[in-house]
Amino acid sequence: MDLRIFTEPQQGASYETLLAVAKATEDLGFDAFFRSDHYLAMGDADGLPGPTDAWITLAGLARETKRIRLGTLVTAATFRLPGPLAIQVAQVDQMSGGRVELGLGSGWFAEEHAAYGIPFPQEKFARFEEQLAIITGLWATKLGDKFSYDGTHYQLTDSPALPKPAQDPVPVLIGGHGATRTPRLAAQYATEFNMPFSSIEDSAKQFDRVRAAVAKYGRPADSMVYSNALVACVGATDAEVARRAAAIGREVDELKTNGLAGSPAEVVDKIGAYAANGASRIYLQILDLSDLDHLELIAAQVMSQL
C-alpha cells in the first residue's frame, strides 16, 4: 500500500509551508506529495496568505526534492488550455527527472472562476474529454511528426508536440463518482483511478465499474491502479485525535466515519478494508500543514504496519 500526502493549499499555505511538508514527505518515506488545484478557499478559511498555483508549486518542488512523486489531485481542465498544460506538465516532469503525475478533472468550483476571471463553461465534461485526448496525443506523437486535432471545443493544427516529458508515458489520474462516462474515460486515458472521500462500499461499486470499462477497452486488468483519497486525523491518544480534529474544525466521530481517524491501529484496520476492494494507494488529505508531527506519527505507526 502506497501512502501519499495530499494537501489543500487554497485553505491557506505559502510556498515555504508546502516545501516544508514536501521535504517531510520525502524524509519520512511517503511515496508522493500531491496538491489540489484551486484558487479560492472553501468554507470558513481565510486562505491567507493567498493561493499558490499548482504547477508553479510543483516546478519548485521538482528542484527541491529527489525521490517523491509529485502531482495534482486534480488539475481543473477549466483553468488551462490543453496545449499549454501539456507543455507545463512535460517541463515539470523534465525538471523532476521523471517524477510527475497528472491528475485531471473537469473543474467544478464556479465561485473561484468568478473570483479570478476564469470562464466557467456550461459544458465542462466534453471539454475535459477533449483535453485528455489532446494532452495524451501531444505526448505520444513521435519526434519529427506533427499533431492535429479538430474538436468541438479545441483545434490544433500541425503542432510539433514539444516538449516531451521525461516519462513515457506520464501517469494520468482520473477520479470521481460518475457511473458511466468517468469509468469510460479512465479506461481510455488513465493509469490510475481515484475515488475521493468515499465510503468503502461506494468505492467498491465504482472500482467494479472501472474494472468493467478497462476490460471492455481491451486493457490488461493490472494496467490500472485503484486509489482512495481520505482525510487523515491520527493520534497516539484520544486526546491527540481530538486536538487534531479541532484544529481542522471537524468532529472526531464524523472523521472516523468519513475518513481515516483515530489511533494508528484503527487507521491501519480501515486502510486494510479499502485494500480489500483493490485499492493499492491512499492519498492522506492533510489539512493542518503546520503539524509535521502528524506526518511523523503516521510514518512511524501506520505506514510501518502496511
Side-chain angles (χ1 to χ4, degrees):
M1 175 67 71
D2 291 336
L3 291 188
R4 296 183 159 191
I5 299 303
F6 167 42
T7 62
E8 301 274 6
Q10 76 278 357
Q11 299 301 93
S14 67
Y15 174 75
E16 291 302 321
T17 297
L18 295 172
L19 176 59
V21 175
K23 286 188 172 181
T25 297
E26 182 158 90
D27 292 344
L28 292 169
F30 292 100
D31 182 61
F33 173 94
F34 270 59
R35 59 156 292 162
S36 60
D37 189 8
H38 286 293
Y39 293 132
L40 194 65
M42 303 172 194
D44 296 331
D46 58 25
L48 295 175
T52 51
D53 181 84
W55 285 100
I56 292 175
T57 297
L58 295 177
L61 297 180
R63 308 303 290 178
E64 297 277 3
T65 58
K66 294 180 172 60
R67 178 190 58 81
I68 51 172
R69 308 288 297 176
L70 301 166
T72 50
L73 195 66
V74 292
T75 287
T78 47
F79 285 178
R80 298 169 177 88
L81 297 172
L85 180 58
I87 292 170
Q88 291 167 336
V89 177
Q91 181 178 357
V92 178
D93 193 48
Q94 291 175 359
M95 293 169 68
S96 71
R99 293 184 285 124
V100 158
E101 303 183 12
L102 172 63
L104 189 64
S106 60
W108 63 272
F109 191 15
E111 288 84 353
E112 70 185 339
H113 292 73
Y116 286 96
I118 304 169
F120 191 67
Q122 285 189 332
E123 180 47 76
K124 294 181 290 297
F125 203 90
R127 291 173 181 269
F128 170 48
E129 183 167 1
E130 289 192 15
Q131 287 213 5
L132 285 164
I134 292 165
I135 292 166
T136 57
L138 287 167
W139 290 339
T141 300
K142 294 179 180 179
L143 286 173
D145 289 349
K146 299 293 180 68
F147 177 83
S148 296
Y149 183 87
D150 187 17
T152 301
H153 303 286
Y154 304 103
Q155 296 81 40
L156 286 75
T157 303
D158 291 336
S159 172
L162 296 171
K164 298 302 183 192
Q167 299 175 95
D168 183 16
V170 170
V172 173
L173 178 153
I174 293 174
H177 302 82
T180 304
R181 293 188 297 178
T182 298
R184 174 180 61 81
L185 285 188
Q188 188 171 358
Y189 294 108
T191 53
E192 178 178 347
F193 182 80
N194 180 265
M195 272 294 276
F197 314 115
S198 300
S199 69
I200 295 165
E201 294 75 19
D202 288 346
S203 296
K205 292 175 184 177
Q206 187 70 332
F207 286 172
D208 283 344
R209 294 186 189 107
V210 175
R211 290 186 187 102
V214 167
K216 184 175 181 180
Y217 199 71
R219 287 176 51 176
D222 62 0
S223 66
M224 183 71 79
V225 172
Y226 296 88
S227 64
N228 287 93
L230 296 158
V231 61
C233 181
V234 189
T237 65
D238 288 346
E240 194 169 72
V241 174
R243 174 176 62 79
R244 290 198 163 111
I248 61 174
R250 304 278 284 270
E251 297 293 330
V252 172
D253 288 345
E254 179 268 322
L255 286 169
K256 286 188 176 185
T257 299
N258 298 315
L260 296 173
S263 69
E266 289 178 286
V267 170
V268 168
D269 286 346
K270 193 163 185 181
I271 289 174
Y274 280 97
N277 286 331
S280 61
R281 183 172 291 161
I282 300 289
Y283 292 82
L284 302 172
Q285 186 194 43
I286 303 297
L287 296 175
D288 184 357
L289 299 182
S290 66
D291 186 4
L292 297 184
D293 290 343
H294 193 194
L295 301 189
E296 292 181 10
L297 176 68
I298 294 170
Q301 298 190 35
V302 175
M303 186 164 58
S304 63
Q305 297 186 60
L306 298 176

